[in-house]
Amino acid sequence: KNGSFKLSPITNPEYISYSNRRGLAYKLVLGAQYNFNEKRKLQFNSRTGYNFKIKQFYFDNRLHFDFNPKRNGWLELQVANGNRITNSSVLDLLQEQHRDTIDFSKLDLHYFNDNRYELSCNIAITDEFEVMPSIVYHHRSAVNKEAMVQTGQPTTYKGFAPSLTLKYQPMKSWPLFSLNYERCISGVFGSNMKYERWELDASYRRRYSSLKRFNVRVGGGFY
């Protein structure tokens, strides 16, 4: 009566994707929900899949708890992987240190697998203003660990970063403005990185009917 569970179709072509860079991938979407009462509910949503080109199982799991819907109060834990990123500065550094001795173009030294953990809480202070503090932890591991060891570079980069997002919407018919600041702190939970990130964006949504909506978003920032 209070709980539900859903799973995407096993053989749905919409969940099969292909790109020249990432190759063929297949995914599943599942979710579960339990209502404690009219105001509090717990949700679990998961997107899992497998990439055949890079031979990697990936997932994006979110555990979401609504504790105060009147003030948009919620708590969420996200655990995800599969976001393969690149960092050209690592490759540039290696090429400078080992000039004319090693051909790095075929070693994939600038590719890293990113495991991401985030704990967020959101609450509306007023009808117009919301605040969302978060804690983000990244564990980035080199795809080609053996080559990184041979060149004297670390195989993992870890980052522990508190984050704060401020949201402001003067009226329901106005755009939603948000400002986000994130700062990585070295030495916490093995963190060996330092960075700061600012982002500012505005988004606007308008529903014309059950099948027609207009969405626009603009934003920017620096790192």
Short mmCIF file of all heavy atoms in Angstrom, two decimals, residues 108-131:
data_model
loop_
_atom_site.label_atom_id
_atom_site.label_comp_id
_atom_site.label_asym_id
_atom_site.label_seq_id
_atom_site.Cartn_x
_atom_site.Cartn_y
_atom_site.Cartn_z
N ASP A 108 46.89 6.42 -23.48
CA ASP A 108 45.67 6.86 -22.78
C ASP A 108 45.97 7.34 -21.36
O ASP A 108 45.22 7.07 -20.42
CB ASP A 108 44.64 5.72 -22.74
CG ASP A 108 44.03 5.44 -24.09
OD1 ASP A 108 44.09 6.34 -24.94
OD2 ASP A 108 43.52 4.33 -24.31
N LEU A 109 47.07 8.06 -21.19
CA LEU A 109 47.44 8.51 -19.85
C LEU A 109 46.58 9.66 -19.35
O LEU A 109 46.60 9.96 -18.16
CB LEU A 109 48.92 8.93 -19.84
CG LEU A 109 49.94 7.81 -20.07
CD1 LEU A 109 51.34 8.36 -19.98
CD2 LEU A 109 49.75 6.69 -19.05
N HIS A 110 45.86 10.33 -20.24
CA HIS A 110 45.02 11.44 -19.81
C HIS A 110 43.58 11.02 -19.55
O HIS A 110 42.72 11.86 -19.34
CB HIS A 110 45.05 12.55 -20.85
CG HIS A 110 44.60 12.14 -22.22
ND1 HIS A 110 45.16 11.11 -22.91
CD2 HIS A 110 43.60 12.63 -23.02
CE1 HIS A 110 44.54 10.96 -24.07
NE2 HIS A 110 43.61 11.88 -24.16
N TYR A 111 43.31 9.70 -19.53
CA TYR A 111 41.96 9.20 -19.24
C TYR A 111 41.88 8.71 -17.80
O TYR A 111 42.76 7.97 -17.33
CB TYR A 111 41.59 8.07 -20.19
CG TYR A 111 41.18 8.53 -21.57
CD1 TYR A 111 42.10 8.58 -22.61
CD2 TYR A 111 39.87 8.93 -21.82
CE1 TYR A 111 41.72 9.01 -23.87
CE2 TYR A 111 39.49 9.36 -23.08
CZ TYR A 111 40.42 9.40 -24.10
OH TYR A 111 40.05 9.83 -25.34
N PHE A 112 40.80 9.09 -17.12
CA PHE A 112 40.59 8.70 -15.74
C PHE A 112 39.14 8.27 -15.54
O PHE A 112 38.21 8.87 -16.09
CB PHE A 112 40.89 9.86 -14.78
CG PHE A 112 42.33 10.27 -14.75
CD1 PHE A 112 42.85 11.12 -15.71
CD2 PHE A 112 43.18 9.80 -13.76
CE1 PHE A 112 44.18 11.51 -15.69
CE2 PHE A 112 44.51 10.17 -13.73
CZ PHE A 112 45.01 11.03 -14.70
N ASN A 113 38.94 7.22 -14.73
CA ASN A 113 37.61 6.82 -14.30
C ASN A 113 37.26 7.58 -13.03
O ASN A 113 38.07 7.66 -12.10
CB ASN A 113 37.55 5.31 -14.04
CG ASN A 113 37.67 4.51 -15.32
OD1 ASN A 113 37.11 4.87 -16.36
ND2 ASN A 113 38.39 3.40 -15.27
N ASP A 114 36.07 8.13 -12.99
CA ASP A 114 35.67 9.00 -11.89
C ASP A 114 34.56 8.34 -11.08
O ASP A 114 33.45 8.18 -11.57
CB ASP A 114 35.20 10.36 -12.44
CG ASP A 114 34.86 11.34 -11.33
OD1 ASP A 114 35.29 11.11 -10.18
OD2 ASP A 114 34.17 12.34 -11.61
N ASN A 115 34.87 7.98 -9.84
CA ASN A 115 33.86 7.53 -8.89
C ASN A 115 33.45 8.74 -8.04
O ASN A 115 34.31 9.40 -7.44
CB ASN A 115 34.38 6.41 -7.99
CG ASN A 115 34.66 5.14 -8.77
OD1 ASN A 115 34.05 4.90 -9.81
ND2 ASN A 115 35.57 4.33 -8.29
N ARG A 116 32.14 8.99 -7.96
CA ARG A 116 31.66 10.23 -7.34
C ARG A 116 30.67 9.91 -6.22
O ARG A 116 29.77 9.08 -6.39
CB ARG A 116 30.98 11.10 -8.40
CG ARG A 116 30.54 12.47 -7.94
CD ARG A 116 30.02 13.28 -9.12
NE ARG A 116 29.75 14.65 -8.78
CZ ARG A 116 28.58 15.07 -8.30
NH1 ARG A 116 27.59 14.19 -8.13
NH2 ARG A 116 28.39 16.34 -8.01
N TYR A 117 30.85 10.59 -5.08
CA TYR A 117 29.96 10.44 -3.94
C TYR A 117 29.52 11.84 -3.50
O TYR A 117 30.37 12.72 -3.32
CB TYR A 117 30.66 9.73 -2.78
CG TYR A 117 31.38 8.47 -3.18
CD1 TYR A 117 32.69 8.51 -3.67
CD2 TYR A 117 30.76 7.22 -3.09
CE1 TYR A 117 33.35 7.36 -4.05
CE2 TYR A 117 31.42 6.06 -3.45
CZ TYR A 117 32.71 6.14 -3.94
OH TYR A 117 33.37 5.00 -4.32
N GLU A 118 28.23 12.02 -3.32
CA GLU A 118 27.74 13.35 -2.94
C GLU A 118 26.59 13.22 -1.95
O GLU A 118 25.65 12.45 -2.16
CB GLU A 118 27.29 14.14 -4.17
CG GLU A 118 26.79 15.54 -3.82
CD GLU A 118 26.46 16.38 -5.04
OE1 GLU A 118 26.68 15.91 -6.17
OE2 GLU A 118 26.00 17.52 -4.86
N LEU A 119 26.66 14.01 -0.89
CA LEU A 119 25.59 14.10 0.10
C LEU A 119 25.09 15.53 0.11
O LEU A 119 25.86 16.47 0.35
CB LEU A 119 26.11 13.70 1.49
CG LEU A 119 25.09 13.75 2.63
CD1 LEU A 119 23.96 12.75 2.39
CD2 LEU A 119 25.76 13.48 3.97
N SER A 120 23.79 15.71 -0.18
CA SER A 120 23.22 17.05 -0.32
C SER A 120 21.98 17.19 0.55
O SER A 120 21.25 16.21 0.77
CB SER A 120 22.85 17.35 -1.78
OG SER A 120 23.95 17.18 -2.63
N CYS A 121 21.74 18.42 0.99
CA CYS A 121 20.53 18.75 1.75
C CYS A 121 19.98 20.07 1.22
O CYS A 121 20.76 21.02 1.00
CB CYS A 121 20.82 18.85 3.24
SG CYS A 121 19.37 19.21 4.26
N ASN A 122 18.67 20.15 1.01
CA ASN A 122 18.05 21.36 0.47
C ASN A 122 16.90 21.81 1.37
O ASN A 122 16.13 20.97 1.88
CB ASN A 122 17.51 21.09 -0.94
CG ASN A 122 17.07 22.36 -1.64
OD1 ASN A 122 17.86 23.04 -2.27
ND2 ASN A 122 15.77 22.69 -1.54
N ILE A 123 16.80 23.12 1.55
CA ILE A 123 15.70 23.66 2.34
C ILE A 123 15.40 25.09 1.86
O ILE A 123 16.32 25.83 1.50
CB ILE A 123 16.04 23.67 3.86
CG1 ILE A 123 14.81 23.99 4.70
CG2 ILE A 123 17.18 24.60 4.15
CD1 ILE A 123 13.76 22.90 4.70
N ALA A 124 14.13 25.44 1.84
CA ALA A 124 13.72 26.79 1.46
C ALA A 124 13.63 27.66 2.71
O ALA A 124 12.81 27.40 3.60
CB ALA A 124 12.37 26.74 0.74
N ILE A 125 14.48 28.67 2.79
CA ILE A 125 14.46 29.57 3.94
C ILE A 125 13.22 30.45 3.89
O ILE A 125 12.55 30.69 4.90
CB ILE A 125 15.73 30.43 3.96
CG1 ILE A 125 16.98 29.54 3.94
CG2 ILE A 125 15.75 31.31 5.20
CD1 ILE A 125 17.09 28.58 5.10
N THR A 126 12.90 30.96 2.68
CA THR A 126 11.68 31.72 2.44
C THR A 126 11.03 31.16 1.18
O THR A 126 11.53 30.22 0.58
CB THR A 126 11.99 33.22 2.26
OG1 THR A 126 12.76 33.40 1.07
CG2 THR A 126 12.76 33.75 3.46
N ASP A 127 9.93 31.76 0.77
CA ASP A 127 9.27 31.33 -0.47
C ASP A 127 10.13 31.60 -1.70
O ASP A 127 9.93 30.96 -2.73
CB ASP A 127 7.92 32.03 -0.61
CG ASP A 127 6.93 31.59 0.45
OD1 ASP A 127 7.13 30.50 1.03
OD2 ASP A 127 5.97 32.35 0.70
N GLU A 128 11.05 32.53 -1.62
CA GLU A 128 11.87 32.91 -2.77
C GLU A 128 13.30 32.36 -2.71
O GLU A 128 13.97 32.28 -3.74
CB GLU A 128 11.95 34.44 -2.91
CG GLU A 128 10.62 35.14 -3.08
CD GLU A 128 9.92 35.40 -1.76
OE1 GLU A 128 10.60 35.28 -0.71
OE2 GLU A 128 8.71 35.70 -1.76
N PHE A 129 13.77 31.99 -1.54
CA PHE A 129 15.19 31.71 -1.36
C PHE A 129 15.40 30.31 -0.80
O PHE A 129 14.77 29.92 0.19
CB PHE A 129 15.80 32.75 -0.41
CG PHE A 129 17.27 32.63 -0.22
CD1 PHE A 129 18.16 33.02 -1.22
CD2 PHE A 129 17.79 32.13 0.96
CE1 PHE A 129 19.52 32.91 -1.04
CE2 PHE A 129 19.15 32.01 1.15
CZ PHE A 129 20.02 32.41 0.15
N GLU A 130 16.29 29.53 -1.46
CA GLU A 130 16.64 28.19 -1.01
C GLU A 130 18.15 28.07 -0.85
O GLU A 130 18.91 28.75 -1.54
CB GLU A 130 16.16 27.12 -2.00
CG GLU A 130 14.66 26.99 -2.11
CD GLU A 130 14.23 25.83 -2.98
OE1 GLU A 130 15.07 24.96 -3.26
OE2 GLU A 130 13.06 25.80 -3.38
N VAL A 131 18.57 27.18 0.03
CA VAL A 131 19.98 26.93 0.25
C VAL A 131 20.22 25.42 0.21
O VAL A 131 19.41 24.65 0.71
CB VAL A 131 20.45 27.54 1.60
CG1 VAL A 131 19.66 26.94 2.75
CG2 VAL A 131 21.93 27.32 1.79
#
